[in-house]
């Protein structure tokens, strides 16, 4: 039985990738220590040691062994604590492949979107993504509440962690992204996910994120000025 | 019920080759559909509407896309000759490094291949940094998978095939035996494996193909040099 001290998460309440890991740990009722990394300011020695390749959060450290990359960590949690709590991934190999496919798609879409400085390009990419994910939701949920079916699963975690950020983008941009008339399936799912026990205490709300975002911008501007 | 297994691929796709190798290791019979990426078949577009890419494995009518995901699917569906380790931590490591290979190693090698001069020097340093991680991984092991070829070997398999081809074209050592002895040895062991050997695409065709892929980058550089010369004179 894993003791709480033997599971550490180098992460941050403000990072959606970190949130993914927190959601998975919550689903499995695994006790852990959250070590807040001020990732937007600098990389701590502890982080660099745990993740020499990318030097990024989240990193799960289980019995002193580090696991990096949020989706790899979520699968690891599912497998290391098999039999404890619900399964995160589906049991059928084909359904697992589909869940992994869409999770990979989400990250790839984000990566290309975050490279775009131009706001409309980012929004365009997000909407394109939502259209496909609306279809994916219909296929994966098979009429049930979540991508994972009756219960929250891998794909719910992979996408759900961004819902606060979607709201922030809507506030800043002033437009509805997750429009229920365009994406009824996803919009309904988002509401259910945000009010689910697993997500309620972990996912930060839009205003908190907005405040955090402002802080990051200020910190980065100060760093740039100091460097000049 | 007879299994219906089809693989959509191209003759040279390094991602498709991973799946070819995996199916061979598992001893599975399947039908190959060779695609021309300039003229994709309706079936490919139907099975992979999101990315429209190869490889796609179709098992009893159900398509699976993305080569690394296909490897996991194959491993979970057919239990003989396991490709991934059983231990969750080792499995996580295999997945992490496979992604690192695709996200970082491959692009950095490619950068060396298409660049020249100062840019190439910098690209070489970046690629070497990435390769160092792989060299570390092989300590005390014959293959990334241990004693036998596994998921991570298949994920890195493109190196064993492609690196020497790229080296020949750019006339540069990308994986120096003196600096990367374990990686060099792994490339030989992997290539010499009878299952892997059988599946290599024809080398001369590959050299021709990659030479052609490099052309536009050489042309671009030449044009830039001409511009700089005329501006400075």
């Amino acid at each position: 039985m894993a003791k709480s001290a033997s599971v550490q998460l180098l992460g941050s309440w403000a990072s959606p990738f970190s949130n993914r890991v927190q959601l998975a740990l919550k689903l499995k009722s695994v006790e852990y220590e959250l070590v807040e990394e001020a990732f937007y300011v600098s990389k701590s020695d502890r982080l660099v040691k745990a993740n020499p390749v990318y030097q990024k959060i989240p990193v799960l450290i289980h019995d002193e062994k580090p696991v990096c990359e949020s989706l790899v960590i979520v699968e690891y949690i599912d497998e290391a604590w098999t039999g404890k709590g619900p399964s995160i991934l589906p049991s059928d190999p084909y359904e697992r492949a589909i869940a992994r496919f869409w999770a990979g798609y989400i990250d790839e879409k984000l990566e290309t979107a975050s490279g775009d400085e131009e706001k409309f390009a980012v929004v365009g990419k997000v909407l394109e993504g939502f259209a496909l994910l609306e279809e994916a939701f219909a296929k994966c949920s098979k009429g049930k509440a979540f991508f994972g079916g009756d219960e929250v699963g891998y794909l719910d975690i992979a996408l759900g962690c961004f819902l606060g950020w979607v709201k922030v983008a809507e506030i800043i941009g002033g437009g509805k992204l997750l429009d229920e008339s365009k994406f009824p399936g996803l919009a309904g799912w988002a509401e259910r996910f945000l009010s689910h026990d697993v997500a309620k205490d972990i996912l930060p709300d839009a205003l908190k994120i907005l405040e955090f975002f402002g802080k990051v911008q200020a910190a980065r501007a100060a760093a740039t000025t100091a460097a000049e | 019920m007879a299994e219906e297994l089809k693989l959509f691929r191209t003759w040279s796709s390094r991602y498709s080759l991973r799946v070819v190798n995996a199916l061979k290791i598992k001893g599975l019979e399947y039908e190959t559909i060779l695609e021309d990426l300039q003229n994709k078949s309706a079936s490919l577009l139907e099975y992979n509407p999101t990315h429209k890419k190869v490889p796609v494995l179709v098992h009893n009518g159900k398509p699976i896309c993305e080569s690394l995901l296909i490897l996991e699917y194959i491993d979970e569906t057919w239990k003989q000759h396991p490709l991934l380790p059983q231990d969750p931590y080792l499995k996580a490591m295999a997945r992490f490094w496979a992604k690192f290979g695709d996200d970082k190693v491959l692009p950095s090698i490619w950068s060396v291949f298409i660049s020249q001069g100062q840019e190439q020097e910098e690209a070489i340093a970046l690629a070497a940094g990435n390769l160092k991680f792989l060299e570390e991984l092989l300590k005390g092991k014959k293959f990334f998978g241990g004693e036998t070829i596994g998921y991570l070997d298949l994920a890195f398999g493109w190196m064993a095939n492609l690196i020497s081809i790229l080296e020949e074209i750019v006339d540069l050592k990308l994986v120096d035996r003196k600096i990367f002895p374990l990686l060099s040895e792994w490339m030989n062991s992997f290539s010499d494996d009878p299952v892997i050997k059988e599946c290599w695409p024809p080398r001369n065709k590959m050299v021709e193909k990659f030479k052609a892929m490099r052309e536009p980058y050489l042309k671009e550089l030449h044009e830039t040099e001409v511009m700089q010369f005329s501006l400075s004179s």
Side-chain angles (χ1 to χ4, degrees):
Chain A
M1 206 61 67
K3 293 196 290 269
S4 56
S6 70
V7 185
Q8 264 194 337
L9 172 59
L10 304 188
S12 171
W13 67 267
S15 156
F17 300 100
S18 196
N19 292 159
R20 281 177 174 168
V21 179
Q22 290 169 276
L23 292 165
L25 290 166
K26 181 105 194 261
L27 263 178
K28 291 294 202 178
S29 306
V30 173
E31 282 181 36
Y32 65 100
E33 181 197 352
L34 174 62
V35 179
E36 273 288 333
E37 292 277 339
F39 62 97
Y40 52 93
V41 174
S42 61
K43 300 167 204 266
S44 70
D45 288 340
R46 170 183 58 211
L47 180 60
V48 172
K49 183 167 171 241
N51 189 354
V53 176
Y54 295 111
Q55 303 178 5
K56 281 185 180 171
I57 56 165
V59 183
L60 185 79
I61 306 179
H62 182 202
D63 289 334
E64 294 173 25
K65 293 188 286 196
V67 184
C68 311
E69 294 294 287
S70 61
L71 294 179
V72 173
I73 300 173
V74 172
E75 285 218 50
Y76 172 76
I77 290 169
D78 200 27
E79 289 160 5
W81 284 279
T82 296
K84 190 172 202 274
S87 282
I88 300 177
L89 272 109
S91 49
D92 172 69
Y94 183 69
E95 287 178 24
R96 290 159 75 87
I98 297 298
R100 288 167 178 151
F101 175 86
W102 288 114
Y105 172 81
I106 289 163
D107 278 2
E108 202 184 312
K109 205 74 189 154
L110 272 167
E111 178 130 15
T112 58
S114 66
D116 269 323
E117 291 302 328
E118 222 270 85
K119 195 173 82 172
F120 291 120
V122 177
V123 169
K125 286 204 168 122
V126 169
L127 291 177
E128 203 179 279
F130 280 168
L132 285 184
L133 290 166
E134 176 77 12
E135 265 183 58
F137 179 71
K139 290 207 181 110
C140 296
S141 65
K142 299 188 186 84
K144 295 189 178 161
F146 300 104
F147 282 94
D150 285 321
E151 266 314 316
V152 161
Y154 181 74
L155 202 39
D156 300 283
I157 290 174
L159 184 58
C161 63
F162 295 111
L163 289 174
W165 290 83
V166 171
K167 284 224 161 74
V168 168
E170 290 175 346
I171 293 169
I172 296 177
K176 197 98 174 79
L177 287 172
L178 202 43
D179 187 337
E180 50 269 20
S181 61
K182 288 202 196 112
F183 313 115
L186 279 185
W189 163 80
E191 245 172 88
R192 288 189 294 274
F193 186 78
L194 286 172
S195 48
H196 192 285
D197 278 335
V198 120
K200 265 188 338 221
D201 299 323
I202 290 170
L203 295 187
D205 66 47
L207 292 174
K208 216 180 166 203
I209 296 174
L210 209 48
E211 190 189 308
F212 170 78
F213 197 57
K215 221 168 123 189
V216 173
Q217 302 279 70
R220 286 193 173 144
T224 316
T225 314
E228 278 165 5
Chain B
M1 188 188 83
E3 306 266 26
E4 188 214 43
L5 209 48
K6 290 196 230 201
L7 176 63
F8 288 78
R9 67 177 180 94
T10 60
W11 69 271
S12 64
S13 158
R14 52 190 163 271
Y15 303 106
S16 299
L17 209 50
R18 289 169 173 169
V19 182
V20 170
N21 291 335
L23 291 167
K24 191 103 210 214
I25 289 172
K26 295 277 188 180
L28 299 168
E29 299 276 330
Y30 63 99
E31 182 196 341
T32 296
I33 293 107
L34 280 176
E35 288 283 331
D36 171 6
L37 296 182
Q38 305 305 322
N39 186 19
K40 294 173 186 176
S41 72
S43 296
L44 178 64
L45 299 178
E46 187 199 317
Y47 286 132
N48 191 356
T50 311
H51 299 304
K52 306 176 175 60
K53 283 181 182 172
V54 292
V56 180
L57 185 73
V58 182
H59 183 208
N60 293 333
K62 293 193 281 201
I64 303 107
C65 309
E66 296 298 293
S67 60
L68 293 178
L69 298 189
I70 299 173
L71 292 189
E72 292 223 41
Y73 176 81
I74 291 171
D75 207 35
E76 288 168 7
T77 307
W78 293 280
K79 304 291 188 184
Q80 68 273 28
H81 299 286
L83 298 173
L84 275 137
Q86 283 293 93
D87 173 73
Y89 181 72
L90 294 177
K91 216 184 245 193
M93 289 302 102
R95 289 173 178 146
F96 173 84
W97 288 113
K99 195 159 187 295
F100 172 73
D102 282 356
D103 289 352
K104 298 290 176 196
V105 182
L106 183 52
S108 65
I109 298 280
W110 187 251
S111 290
V112 176
F113 180 62
I114 61 172
S115 59
Q116 298 222 321
Q118 176 63 19
E119 217 181 280
Q120 194 181 52
E121 293 291 321
E122 289 164 11
I124 290 171
L126 187 63
N130 290 333
L131 292 175
K132 258 209 195 96
F133 285 115
L134 303 191
E135 183 75 11
E136 272 299 309
L137 279 184
L138 282 169
K139 281 212 164 100
K141 290 201 261 187
K142 183 175 183 200
F143 295 109
F144 290 101
E147 277 308 295
T148 53
I149 287 173
Y151 168 88
L152 197 49
D153 300 280
L154 297 188
F156 289 132
W158 62 269
M159 291 183 68
N161 178 238
L162 200 54
I163 295 260
S164 69
I165 290 168
L166 301 182
E167 285 177 340
E168 183 184 313
I169 297 170
V170 299
D171 192 24
L172 205 73
K173 205 76 184 113
L174 293 166
V175 180
D176 191 330
R177 183 166 273 281
K178 288 194 237 63
I179 307 173
F180 304 108
L182 298 177
L183 199 50
S184 304
E185 195 49 46
W186 170 81
M187 281 161 59
N188 288 334
S189 306
F190 185 83
S191 308
D192 282 342
D193 183 276
V195 161
I196 304 298
K197 224 181 201 161
E198 253 186 69
C199 309
W200 277 155
R203 191 189 167 85
N204 55 338
K205 254 183 115 179
M206 290 286 276
V207 172
E208 205 181 295
K209 177 192 158 105
F210 281 92
K211 260 196 183 136
M213 284 178 92
R214 195 175 177 237
E215 275 308 307
Y217 298 101
L218 292 178
K219 188 165 175 280
E220 199 180 280
L221 189 77
H222 179 67
E223 281 169 356
T224 313
E225 283 175 339
V226 171
M227 266 284 277
Q228 286 174 342
F229 179 75
S230 60
L231 284 173
S232 63
S233 45

